[in-house]
Amino acid sequence: MTSWDIQPQGVQGQLKAVGTHAEDLGNALKTLLSDMQEAAQAAGTAVPGSHAETLPQGGLMAPRGYKPVGPVAPDLLPHKATGPVGAALVEYVRHRKKDMKAMADRCQAAVLGAAKATNEYVQGDLEAAKNAQRAARDVRLNALKDFGGKKK
């Protein structure tokens, strides 16, 4: 990079716009996950009856009326049966979780990298600005969260 011509006010305006879009993306992902959970529950099971339950693995079950507590409590209670549609939706989300996290990380890295590079540029530390851009491109969030440059 031979020269820089950054206008900090323009960068600030763009960061606000990107932040709004990133927030919209986060809300859309939350809504998607919530809707998929509702769809999985509403899809039902292949077992007749709306209250189909599966017994805990291992055959151990809490006596009727007894509410076990502690970390093993959920394993001692019957669970709602999951049908094929619900299982498929859970599997889909499990496979897409990594992609969803990558989208969020990339958005965060872009915003933090642009902000840090601009701050370093304003302070005259072009090497630190270049390093911030490189960290944003490589999605190295740990490097970007430390906003300190050279101390003068």
Side-chain angles (χ1 to χ4, degrees):
M1 187 168 309
T2 57
S3 67
W4 293 53
D5 184 19
I6 297 175
Q7 298 174 357
Q9 297 81 8
V11 173
Q12 183 180 19
Q14 290 303 310
L15 290 177
K16 285 181 182 178
V18 170
T20 299
H21 293 305
E23 189 175 326
D24 291 345
L25 175 63
N27 291 336
L29 288 174
K30 286 178 190 172
T31 300
L32 171 70
L33 292 174
S34 175
D35 289 350
M36 290 186 83
Q37 182 179 11
E38 286 180 31
Q41 291 170 350
T45 68
V47 179
S50 62
H51 297 290
E53 293 181 336
T54 58
L55 296 177
Q57 290 183 336
L60 292 175
M61 193 165 107
R64 200 171 277 292
Y66 173 72
K67 300 279 188 203
V69 294
V72 296
D75 296 334
L76 297 175
L77 296 172
H79 302 291
K80 286 276 187 194
T82 303
V85 173
L89 289 173
V90 167
E91 192 67 21
Y92 174 81
V93 170
R94 187 172 350 142
H95 283 283
R96 293 289 181 226
K97 187 176 182 178
K98 186 173 86 172
D99 296 333
M100 292 177 191
K101 182 174 178 353
M103 281 192 293
D105 287 351
R106 186 158 298 278
C107 288
Q108 185 179 12
V111 170
L112 289 174
K116 184 171 183 176
T118 303
N119 287 338
E120 298 297 348
Y121 170 80
V122 168
Q123 293 175 9
D125 192 344
L126 298 182
E127 186 65 28
K130 186 166 55 171
N131 290 339
Q133 280 189 330
R134 187 176 300 118
R137 185 182 61 238
D138 296 340
V139 191
R140 291 187 357 247
L141 292 174
N142 291 342
L144 293 168
K145 288 180 181 175
D146 175 26
F147 270 87
K150 289 181 185 174
K151 303 296 182 210
K152 296 179 180 174

